Amino acid sequence: MFGGPDEMPAADRPAPPDRAADRVRVLLPLPLPGAYDYRLPPDVPAGPGDYVEVPLGPRRVVGVVWAEGGGGIEDGRLRPILRRFDVPPMPEVQRRFVDWVAAYTMAPAGAVLKMALGSAAGLEPPRPVTAYRLSDAPRPPGFKATPARRRVLEILSDGPPRGAAELALEAGCGIGVVRGLADAGVLEPVAMRVSEARRDPDWALPGPVLSGPQRDAAQALRAKVRAGDYGVTLLDGVTGSGKTEVYFEAVAQALEAGRQVLVLLPEIALSAQWLTRFEARFGAPPDLWHSDLTPHQRRTTWRAVATGQARLVVGARSALFLPFPDLGLIVVDEEHEGAFKQEDGVIYHARDMAVVRAHLGRVPIVLVSATPSLETVANCEAGRYERLDLPSRHGNAVLPEIRLIDMRADRPERGRWLAPSLRDALARTLEGGEQAMLFLNRRGYAPLTLCRACGFRLQCPNCTAWLVEHRLAGQLRCHHCDHCVKLPDSCPSCGTGGSLAACGPGVERVAEEAAFLFPEARIAMMTSDTLFGPHAVEELVRKVTGHEIDLLIGTQMMAKGHHFPLLTLVGVVDADLGLQGGDLRATERTFQLLSQVAGRAGRGDRPGTVFLQTYMPEHPVMQALLDTDRDAFLASEARERIAAGMPPYGRLAALIVSGEDMEAVDAVARRLGRTAPRMDAVQVLGPAPAPFALLRGRHRRRLLLKAPRGVQVQSLVARWLDQVPVPGSVRVQVDVDPYSFL
């Protein structure tokens, strides 16, 4: 299957003492059961951690030397390592981390290694980059120094050579201006290594003046970084309390000590203001790691991390698997965010794995949130984590006033979605020259399209989901598999023309209503459908901050960390939306999301007000938000979880059985149900169709194992799976500590 017996897994083979020195085990970035023995040629010195190229069947594959070789295969049958890459070896702590994640998530170690390789192209030496400096040659006849050209020349007059893109960005002009100066002979190109073109963050630059509570928290974090040992600290502060500036002091301490720093953000592409604040504080941009990077950027950053040149990396969850040789601090910002949970491939939670990485490397880690997860709060209460509090907003800002709009009494007009009291508040805010925000966590124009003649609902052919109308794009779209069709002229079921009606609001429909009510207002939308990539987000944030926009309408993209001083009103169109579905964490997530959205209001000198449109004003989430009593809500949520034996006070592991053949899927699910563990205090629920019983063309069934906290669910699940043969057409995924139940 993998090229013959030459590459049989090396696990559990006794190694002949006289053969171990000339063979090594190589882990490959493939979902294989273990490392493989290869022969080590005399001219290819390689040891544990070295990146190597090896043959696998007819292919050449990049892998990592994981250990000394075993035995059991004759020397003549071993295939040789082809070459070793000239890059520092994967640190030993990173290899232990790969093994730990694989064991915990029950994923093949090679699948975890694939994430750790990041960009195999980074193993090759980088090509020189072209930068520009001022030419010593005289200016050509007729040369015109336009304002843009003068700005470029001023930047280079007392600074090092810069790349064209960097020059254009600093000068506020197009790259064509830089290239035009080069073509005219005013600038001359120079070849630079990537390391020469880097600007390292300057820890010695002064930061902003901190308040007393901020200063105390910053000093505590600095002390932990100076101590240089493992410890988890929750930085718990209300929205607008200056948490970022506080943990920047810990970052500065780590940089001063010459260590590397990793900052994890839930959605790095949406964090334009964070990046601006970082560069203002440290005088240089951080190295980025996220899915929107170009291949060149990925291989450059990966190699810079591996060689220790990248001093600070800010990234999404996958940045956790970069090969830091000297990591001195990890920060997980917005630690409560569900975006840190990866649901495909290797299923893991980046916050929890970041704590493991910090423990293995004996480095401090800071978890940051205004609405910490119940898991983190429970760890603080148990004494496993320390806690630093920032209970008030920075400066003169105060927390916004929360008002509940009972939609049963304050009804919008038919076909409208904004209650009269919210419309009046919007009018007053806009007339006063202030900014407002409308939040609805539902993309598109309408979540459902049905036929008024026969009741037929337009559904995705690949998923158990309704097609969502996106009127701006002129299509119906599935938000799970991205299937798209044009809105038909007649009902596909009964053939009645013009009978299809949009039901319910999405953000596009709310924006349509707002434009009708406030035709003079400058309105913008902030959704993943209207903004593509970090540069588009950065431009929109700039416009809002510069008051080029009066009313911002969008989804949860707006909830994360944005600071708009003139934004004084937030309206939540459907505050009940997240409470539907009976998910284990539905109430907790709704409270967190609405708290974060509410936190956008009144962050400057002007007070803020938040209106929550709800049909359930008596719900505990709404009452907790009204009373600004997060701790009481968390205590109530903890009592319910303890009574039910649910996380973080119990353990869960989900099995998701999927395949294109429904009968084969059901057969495997039934066998799993019959062979489920039967032990005291261990309960197995299912098999049952998943809420999305069809997803991307695959039928899905779920089983859920529930156990007390002290039970090691991985060993239970492993023995369970060993009893059930699974055909190749069916996949069984294991999700330890599931966050999604769809």
Side-chain angles (χ1 to χ4, degrees):
M1 182 175 179
F2 303 117
D6 298 353
E7 295 110 23
M8 289 179 61
D12 302 322
R13 299 199 204 112
D18 59 334
R19 296 299 186 190
D22 60 359
R23 63 177 70 197
V24 291
R25 294 180 182 182
V26 177
L27 187 63
L28 305 176
L30 301 167
L32 303 176
Y36 287 70
D37 271 4
Y38 282 90
R39 180 166 52 84
L40 193 60
D43 59 340
V44 183
D50 280 331
Y51 299 90
V52 294
E53 186 177 55
V54 298
L56 184 68
R59 295 182 292 163
R60 290 176 169 231
V61 182
V62 172
V64 177
V65 176
W66 219 244
E68 292 183 355
I73 299 179
E74 297 177 5
D75 286 355
R77 299 181 62 195
L78 282 179
R79 303 183 73 179
I81 289 178
L82 302 175
R83 66 163 168 158
R84 178 178 62 85
F85 291 93
D86 186 16
V87 66
M90 177 181 285
E92 186 266 345
V93 65
Q94 189 73 1
R95 303 198 304 277
R96 287 193 288 130
F97 181 57
V98 168
D99 285 334
W100 200 100
V101 173
Y104 189 86
T105 63
M106 303 187 68
V112 181
L113 177 65
K114 183 177 181 180
M115 297 189 297
L117 280 179
S119 176
L123 296 171
E124 301 287 359
R127 297 176 180 177
V129 297
T130 300
Y132 293 93
R133 65 185 178 195
L134 292 178
S135 172
D136 295 331
R139 300 284 167 83
F143 175 78
K144 294 182 179 180
T146 65
R149 285 180 164 182
R150 281 197 296 271
R151 291 196 298 271
V152 172
L153 299 177
E154 288 171 5
I155 291 170
L156 289 175
S157 63
D158 58 355
R162 309 281 180 88
E166 183 182 0
L167 268 175
L169 182 63
E170 289 194 42
C173 64
I175 291 180
V177 174
V178 178
R179 290 174 177 161
L181 287 168
D183 292 341
V186 178
L187 304 182
E188 64 177 3
V190 292
M192 297 177 62
R193 295 191 301 270
V194 173
S195 59
E196 294 175 330
R198 303 182 65 84
R199 285 190 294 153
D200 289 333
D202 185 355
W203 59 266
L205 291 176
V209 177
L210 302 180
S211 66
Q214 287 177 324
R215 187 168 56 252
D216 292 343
Q219 289 174 350
L221 291 181
R222 276 184 170 271
K224 293 177 185 298
V225 175
R226 278 196 302 271
D229 199 4
Y230 167 73
V232 186
T233 304
L234 169 64
L235 182 57
D236 182 2
V238 299
T239 55
S241 59
K243 297 183 293 296
T244 304
E245 284 74 17
V246 169
Y247 76 67
F248 274 179
E249 293 302 303
V251 170
Q253 184 68 55
L255 293 175
E256 181 181 359
R259 309 292 299 278
Q260 291 174 297
V261 178
L262 169 63
V263 178
L264 294 179
L265 299 180
E267 295 184 52
I268 179 63
L270 309 181
S271 305
Q273 284 192 326
W274 189 98
L275 297 173
T276 300
R277 289 162 73 181
F278 180 89
E279 188 162 1
R281 171 66 177 84
F282 294 103
D287 286 278
L288 302 180
W289 188 264
H290 56 84
S291 59
D292 286 333
L293 296 180
T294 66
H296 171 74
Q297 291 171 321
R298 289 180 70 84
R299 61 177 175 263
T300 299
T301 299
W302 189 92
R303 192 174 182 92
V305 171
T307 57
Q309 293 174 325
R311 306 309 305 163
L312 186 141
V313 176
V314 55
R317 56 183 181 241
S318 60
L320 185 60
F321 294 91
L322 290 170
F324 293 95
D326 191 20
L327 192 57
L329 173 67
I330 301 175
V331 178
V332 183
D333 205 345
E334 307 287 1
E335 65 85 24
H336 64 277
E337 272 291 339
F340 282 125
K341 176 77 177 193
Q342 176 161 298
E343 303 284 358
D344 298 321
V346 179
I347 301 176
Y348 70 96
H349 198 297
R351 176 201 62 217
D352 299 341
M353 296 304 104
V355 172
V356 172
R357 176 64 177 83
H359 183 268
L360 293 174
R362 310 306 303 172
V363 300
I365 178 171
V366 182
L367 309 180
V368 186
S369 180
T371 54
S373 63
L374 190 55
E375 281 81 2
T376 295
V377 171
N379 277 316
C380 289
E381 292 173 348
R384 288 184 286 268
Y385 297 175
E386 295 186 44
R387 186 175 193 158
L388 297 173
D389 289 308
L390 296 174
S392 59
R393 284 187 161 180
H394 183 62
N396 298 322
V398 296
L399 290 172
E401 176 189 1
I402 308 292
R403 298 183 186 179
L404 302 181
I405 298 177
D406 188 342
M407 297 293 281
R408 299 167 297 187
D410 193 3
R411 294 179 177 273
E413 303 168 12
R414 183 175 178 82
R416 301 293 180 189
W417 313 102
L418 303 180
S421 55
L422 178 55
R423 294 202 308 264
D424 293 344
L426 283 167
R428 291 192 299 271
T429 299
L430 297 176
E431 288 170 3
E434 297 172 346
Q435 293 171 305
M437 174 187 288
L438 289 175
F439 171 80
L440 176 60
N441 201 23
R442 185 184 280 146
R443 295 155 50 202
Y445 184 83
L448 174 65
T449 301
L450 59 76
C451 175
R452 288 175 294 202
C454 70
F456 177 79
R457 302 182 177 196
L458 294 176
Q459 184 172 335
C460 175
N462 308 314
C463 305
T464 309
W466 308 122
L467 290 175
V468 178
E469 181 180 356
H470 286 253
R471 189 159 291 188
L472 293 177
Q475 46 183 220
L476 296 167
R477 183 181 304 165
C478 175
H479 287 172
H480 302 282
C481 71
D482 215 27
H483 172 79
C484 295
V485 294
K486 289 186 177 180
L487 181 67
D489 296 326
S490 58
C491 173
S493 179
C494 69
T496 304
S499 63
L500 297 176
C503 299
V507 286
E508 291 180 12
R509 202 167 195 177
V510 173
E512 181 181 80
E513 180 177 349
F516 173 79
L517 293 170
F518 310 107
E520 302 300 321
R522 296 167 295 180
I523 299 174
M525 291 177 56
M526 191 172 190
T527 77
S528 58
D529 299 311
T530 57
L531 298 173
F532 302 100
H535 297 299
V537 177
E538 182 179 3
E539 177 61 15
L540 178 61
V541 168
R542 185 196 64 77
K543 288 182 178 180
V544 178
T545 306
H547 204 180
E548 298 176 34
I549 292 169
D550 303 310
L551 177 58
L552 188 62
I553 301 172
T555 60
Q556 63 182 3
M557 286 181 71
M558 302 190 304
K560 298 181 179 72
H562 301 297
H563 178 80
F564 303 128
L566 284 177
L567 199 152
T568 58
L569 175 67
V570 169
V572 178
V573 177
D574 187 353
D576 306 329
L577 182 58
L579 298 173
Q580 303 167 6
D583 194 304
L584 167 66
R585 296 179 176 83
T587 55
E588 181 186 3
R589 277 200 294 256
T590 300
F591 180 85
Q592 291 166 340
L593 179 58
L594 295 182
S595 297
Q596 294 284 340
V597 173
R600 300 315 105 202
R603 296 172 70 95
D605 295 331
R606 309 183 189 194
T609 307
V610 180
F611 288 86
L612 306 178
Q613 294 191 164
T614 174
Y615 287 93
M616 299 183 290
E618 68 284 351
H619 194 284
V621 168
M622 302 305 157
Q623 290 299 309
L625 290 165
L626 180 65
D627 298 336
T628 319
D629 197 343
R630 186 201 71 188
D631 292 342
F633 168 77
L634 287 174
S636 173
E637 187 77 5
R639 287 192 295 271
E640 292 186 10
R641 302 267 190 97
I642 291 171
M646 288 294 185
Y649 310 101
R651 298 295 309 278
L652 292 177
L655 269 59
I656 304 99
V657 186
S658 66
E660 296 180 2
D661 184 340
M662 184 169 64
E663 291 185 2
V665 169
D666 284 333
V668 172
R670 285 194 298 268
R671 285 196 293 269
L672 286 168
R674 288 194 297 267
T675 58
R678 285 167 174 78
M679 301 169 54
D680 291 341
V682 174
Q683 184 180 9
V684 174
L685 307 175
F692 286 109
L694 181 67
L695 187 65
R696 302 182 187 95
R698 298 180 67 87
H699 299 276
R700 304 168 73 243
R701 305 292 182 262
R702 290 181 61 96
L703 299 97
L704 187 67
L705 184 144
K706 177 173 171 287
R709 183 167 177 81
V711 173
Q712 215 233 16
V713 297
Q714 287 88 348
S715 59
L716 276 180
V717 172
R719 290 195 297 270
W720 184 11
L721 292 175
D722 283 343
Q723 301 177 59
V724 178
V726 179
S729 62
V730 175
R731 181 170 68 229
V732 179
Q733 287 182 289
V734 179
D735 184 357
V736 178
D737 306 327
Y739 263 59
S740 171
F741 295 85
L742 298 177

